[in-house]
Amino acid sequence: YETLLKQKFVNHIGADLPGNKRADIEIKPTGELPSADGSFDCVLSSQVLEHVTDPQLYLREAFRVLKAGGSLIVSTHGIWPYHPDPTDFWRWTIEGLQREIQLAGFEISLVKSVFGLESVALQLWQDATHERLPRLIRSIYTGVIQAIIGFIERRRTEKVSNDAAVYIVLARKVGGPRGDLLR
């Protein structure tokens, strides 16, 4: 996300588990960040929440390091295959995800979903069958399924699906002006 972040923010800091050479700071084994309270305007957590052992600890730590009015952007799985990296603990419902974010002290501004149930079913079918096909037809097979998913998603009328592959939540730390991300 470095290229995208550079367009909006002057500075950005990457945080990850030990072993990622591109990370600017390492997340401690306890889940804590070696950063002072109120250090950041925005925390972007992309496809991470399903991998943490204690979602509340993780979200409270994001809250701690955000400035008042700072933004939290979370994306995480609703319906998705098991993928340990290094662990895989959770799948989220839209209500459960919102509840956890609110319990951590955030005010939710926006919730979006990626793929409705029909598209999720096709994506899961593709993922479950792709490797079983001869290599020569895999790209055609994937292209056809993705075209069908695109067609379905363009016609989908509901803005947020209760049965989505991925949820995206924009929230903010209450108690101050909105962060730069929201301007």
Side-chain angles (χ1 to χ4, degrees):
Y1 299 103
E2 187 174 347
T3 305
L4 291 171
L5 294 173
K6 281 183 178 180
Q7 294 174 27
K8 183 66 180 166
F9 299 101
V10 176
N11 298 313
H12 70 280
I13 295 173
D16 205 348
L17 299 171
N20 182 346
K21 292 178 180 28
R22 296 195 64 197
D24 299 302
I25 57 176
E26 285 188 358
I27 300 170
K28 295 180 182 179
T30 57
E32 296 169 329
L33 294 169
S35 303
D37 295 358
S39 298
F40 303 107
D41 294 311
C42 181
V43 171
L44 169 64
S45 175
S46 179
Q47 305 308 107
V48 174
L49 198 57
E50 69 270 15
H51 299 286
V52 301
T53 56
D54 186 341
Q56 267 306 300
L57 179 100
Y58 180 84
L59 291 167
R60 285 192 310 268
E61 185 65 1
F63 189 89
R64 181 187 71 77
V65 299
L66 277 171
K67 295 176 182 174
S71 299
L72 170 70
I73 304 169
V74 173
S75 68
T76 192
H77 292 297
I79 301 170
W80 205 250
Y82 177 70
H83 59 284
D85 187 17
T87 58
D88 188 6
F89 295 110
W90 314 102
R91 293 298 174 272
W92 296 95
T93 64
I94 194 167
E95 291 173 348
L97 180 59
Q98 289 179 89
R99 179 182 180 275
E100 290 299 312
I101 291 170
Q102 289 169 330
L103 280 174
F106 291 97
E107 179 181 281
I108 294 175
S109 306
L110 179 70
V111 178
K112 293 202 170 222
S113 61
V114 178
F115 290 178
L117 188 57
E118 303 89 347
S119 298
V120 170
L122 284 171
Q123 184 66 52
L124 292 174
W125 176 262
Q126 174 193 299
D127 293 349
T129 58
H130 181 264
E131 293 296 320
R132 291 179 170 86
L133 298 173
R135 285 192 190 275
L136 293 173
I137 64 169
R138 286 181 189 170
S139 62
I140 295 167
Y141 178 76
T142 300
V144 168
I145 291 178
Q146 291 303 305
I148 294 169
I149 290 171
F151 175 77
I152 290 169
E153 290 301 303
R154 284 189 297 278
R155 297 177 52 98
R156 188 160 57 103
T157 56
E158 76 271 8
K159 298 296 180 200
V160 178
S161 172
N162 289 326
D163 297 303
V166 173
Y167 293 108
I168 303 166
V169 177
L170 171 62
R172 70 182 194 92
K173 183 175 179 176
V174 181
R178 291 177 176 257
D180 291 340
L181 181 69
L182 300 176
R183 287 189 196 144

